């Protein structure tokens, strides 16, 4: 067995999930331990590494044939270190290697930066409060000195006002105030935002998703010859039972990857998420030359769809790990073993091209192993 721990975006930035491959079937509560090397200490429930073996209990795990998904929280995620190797065991069984996804360490760095910012913010706030107290004391000292001359000025202005007419002292406006064209445009924009109307030149995430959907299903029909219907009606409203997406303005049409990421974020918050829609959205950026941001976003969509049994998502997910795939890998590290796992599951689901890709990957590894490549030889042991 071997396991990988990844971030679980569906439950927040401080949560992750451990995916165990070749795992045995489990019934009832599950217990697991985490051990670090080279000191061999175990993680305890009090976030301390000790020589005593502490077991963590998990009741909301999910399992499929050969796969086990164990959710973990920040009490485990934030105790990991990029310079340390780990092993885990399930229900007091034999231990196996635990690989940590690169994004987990990115989240840990983000947490450290947030803590440093909060510390700096607290120090600055204390300095501001000290400075405000000093200024207040100075004002209290100078108030009597300033008050007498100020009263004298007010009295003089009052006497002067008695000798001037209202029109001379404060002339009236010649007519009603009017808004300039720029001010009117700004006021119209504010009114449109308050009433929920979409102004010209502003593209919402709802409209962007509808455009992506139409481009995805254009000329694509099901087995019965019926074109897949969009979840949006002609007027832009969502079908009955699906919540509307948040109207997040898109900065510029050229910012395609940012638009895609925002659209996917809003889509995942909606009520009509499905594996088929995940795959359709992922296809938009699974092209040569796509940047890491869009590629990583598509990976999350495909991972969710693959875990729900979508064979095409399994095949596309395997390409992320396949060193032979010409498509971008984003921040996902190449791993022939994980590629074989997803190719096999897609092939078992009836996808013939997955079996062919898996065979090509094995041939490539055998060629490297014959040349003495240690990593290829180790990979073939798990084949």
């Amino acid at each position: 067995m071997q396991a990988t721990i990844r971030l679980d975006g569906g439950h927040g930035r401080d949560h992750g999930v451990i995916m165990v491959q070749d795992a045995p079937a489990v019934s009832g509560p599950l217990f697991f331990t985490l051990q670090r090397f080279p000191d061999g200490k175990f993680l305890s429930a009090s976030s301390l590494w000790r020589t005593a073996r502490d077991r963590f209990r998990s009741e909301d795990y999910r399992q499929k044939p050969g796969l086990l998904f164990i959710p973990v929280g920040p009490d485990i995620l934030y105790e990991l270190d990029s310079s340390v190797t780990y092993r885990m065991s399930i229900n007091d069984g034999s231990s196996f290697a635990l690989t940590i996804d690169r994004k987990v360490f990115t989240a840990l760095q983000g947490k450290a930066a947030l803590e440093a910012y909060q510390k700096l913010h607290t120090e600055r706030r204390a300095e501001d409060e000290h400075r405000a107290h000093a200024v207040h004391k100075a004002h209290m000292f100078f108030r009597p000195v300033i008050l007498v001359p100020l009263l004298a000025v007010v009295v003089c202005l009052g006497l002067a006002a008695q000798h001037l007419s209202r029109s001379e002292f404060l002339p009236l406006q010649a007519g009603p105030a009017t808004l300039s064209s720029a001010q009117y445009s700004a006021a119209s924009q504010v009114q449109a935002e308050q009433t929920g109307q979409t102004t010209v030149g502003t593209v919402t995430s709802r409209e962007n998703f509808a455009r992506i959907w139409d481009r995805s299903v254009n000329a694509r029909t099901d087995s019965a010859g019926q074109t897949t219907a969009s979840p949006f009606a002609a007027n832009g409203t969502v079908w009955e039972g699906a919540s509307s997406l948040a109207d997040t303005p898109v900065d510029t049409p050229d910012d395609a990857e940012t638009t895609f990421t925002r659209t996917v974020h809003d889509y995942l918050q909606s009520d009509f998420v499905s594996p088929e829609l995940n795959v359709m959205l992922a296809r938009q950026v699974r092209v040569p030359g796509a940047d890491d941001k869009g590629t990583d976003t598509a990976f999350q969509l495909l991972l969710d769809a693959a875990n729900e049994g979508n064979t095409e998502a399994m095949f596309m997910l395997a390409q992320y790990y396949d060193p032979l795939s010409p498509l971008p890998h984003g921040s996902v590290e190449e791993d022939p073993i994980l590629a074989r796992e997803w190719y096999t599951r897609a092939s078992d689901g009836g996808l013939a091209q997955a079996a062919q890709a898996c065979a090509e990957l094995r041939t490539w590894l055998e060629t490297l192993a014959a040349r003495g490549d240690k990593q290829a030889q180790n990979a073939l042991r798990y084949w």
Side-chain angles (χ1 to χ4, degrees):
M1 290 188 295
Q2 63 178 8
T4 304
I5 183 170
R6 297 189 176 93
L7 292 180
D8 187 1
H11 294 83
R13 58 181 296 180
D14 292 338
H15 290 74
V17 59
I18 300 176
M19 184 178 74
V20 184
Q21 301 182 49
D22 301 326
V26 179
S27 60
L30 179 146
F31 296 90
F32 67 94
T33 62
L34 295 180
Q35 186 180 23
R36 71 181 184 186
F37 287 90
D39 59 7
K41 291 185 177 181
F42 295 88
L43 180 61
S44 66
S46 57
S47 297
L48 296 176
W49 292 92
R50 306 185 304 180
T51 55
R53 183 191 298 264
D54 277 13
R55 303 195 308 171
F56 292 88
R57 181 188 180 102
S58 177
E59 295 183 346
D60 55 349
Y61 62 89
R62 296 185 297 113
Q63 58 180 334
K64 294 183 178 181
L67 287 175
L68 187 64
F69 300 91
I70 308 173
V72 294
D75 55 335
I76 293 178
L77 204 64
Y78 286 140
E79 297 303 323
L80 303 178
D81 190 342
S82 59
S83 61
V84 178
T85 58
Y86 300 90
R87 295 185 70 83
M88 73 176 296
S89 63
I90 297 176
N91 292 346
D92 295 327
S94 58
S95 63
F96 48 90
L98 173 64
T99 305
I100 305 174
D101 189 83
R102 185 187 307 172
K103 291 184 180 180
V104 174
F105 297 129
T106 303
L108 301 184
Q109 295 171 358
K111 180 194 176 187
L114 178 61
E115 291 177 347
Y117 168 78
Q118 291 175 342
K119 180 180 178 182
L120 178 62
H121 180 70
T122 302
E123 293 175 352
R124 288 184 177 178
R125 184 170 58 182
E127 293 177 359
D128 292 342
E129 291 177 353
H130 178 72
R131 188 180 299 107
H133 181 67
V135 172
H136 178 71
K137 291 179 62 177
H139 286 176
M140 293 298 294
F141 174 77
F142 287 106
R143 183 177 298 176
V145 180
I146 298 176
L147 184 58
V148 174
L150 184 61
L151 289 175
V153 172
V154 172
V155 172
C156 291
L157 289 176
L159 294 175
Q162 293 180 356
H163 297 84
L164 297 175
S165 65
R166 177 178 178 85
S167 60
E168 293 175 342
F169 187 72
L170 186 63
L172 297 176
Q173 295 180 355
T178 58
L179 289 176
S180 64
S181 59
Q183 292 172 325
Y184 180 80
S185 299
S188 300
Q189 177 72 17
V190 172
Q191 181 181 5
E193 293 176 354
Q194 293 175 347
T195 58
Q197 298 176 350
T198 303
T199 58
V200 177
T202 301
V203 181
T204 64
S205 292
R206 178 187 293 114
E207 295 168 343
N208 182 64
F209 179 82
R211 185 171 61 251
I212 290 179
W213 170 280
D214 292 338
R215 188 167 62 250
S216 300
V217 301
N218 186 27
R220 184 182 295 114
T221 58
D222 56 23
S223 58
Q226 299 294 326
T227 302
T228 307
S230 170
F232 293 91
N235 59 359
T237 58
V238 184
W239 68 25
E240 182 179 358
S243 62
S244 62
L245 300 180
D247 291 334
T248 305
V250 176
D251 298 333
T252 60
D254 296 333
D255 194 4
E257 298 301 336
T258 301
T259 300
F260 176 80
T261 303
R262 290 178 178 175
T263 301
V264 169
H265 172 75
D266 291 341
Y267 158 71
L268 293 176
Q269 304 300 319
S270 66
D271 294 336
F272 53 92
V273 178
S274 71
E276 291 74 18
L277 288 180
N278 286 16
V279 173
M280 288 183 182
L281 281 173
R283 286 202 198 101
Q284 305 304 315
V285 294
R286 293 303 290 146
V287 294
D291 69 356
D292 289 349
K293 188 174 183 180
T295 301
D296 290 344
T297 302
F299 178 84
Q300 297 298 328
L301 289 169
L302 294 173
L303 182 61
D304 181 73
N307 288 333
E308 294 298 327
N310 187 286
T311 55
E312 185 175 1
M314 296 175 187
F315 175 77
M316 297 174 68
L317 199 64
Q319 292 177 320
Y320 274 86
Y321 298 107
D322 189 351
L324 299 180
S325 175
L327 296 177
H329 299 269
S331 61
V332 179
E333 296 183 0
E334 297 176 355
D335 190 333
I337 299 303
L338 289 178
R340 179 198 66 87
E341 176 67 29
W342 288 112
Y343 277 143
T344 302
R345 294 180 62 185
S347 176
D348 293 342
L351 204 59
Q353 58 181 336
Q356 179 181 355
C358 189
E360 293 175 355
L361 178 59
R362 179 183 175 87
T363 302
W364 179 73
L365 288 174
E366 290 175 343
T367 302
L368 293 180
R371 298 174 183 173
D373 190 295
K374 298 297 183 182
Q375 293 183 347
Q377 293 173 356
N378 291 334
L380 289 174
R381 293 175 184 172
Y382 293 96
W383 209 271

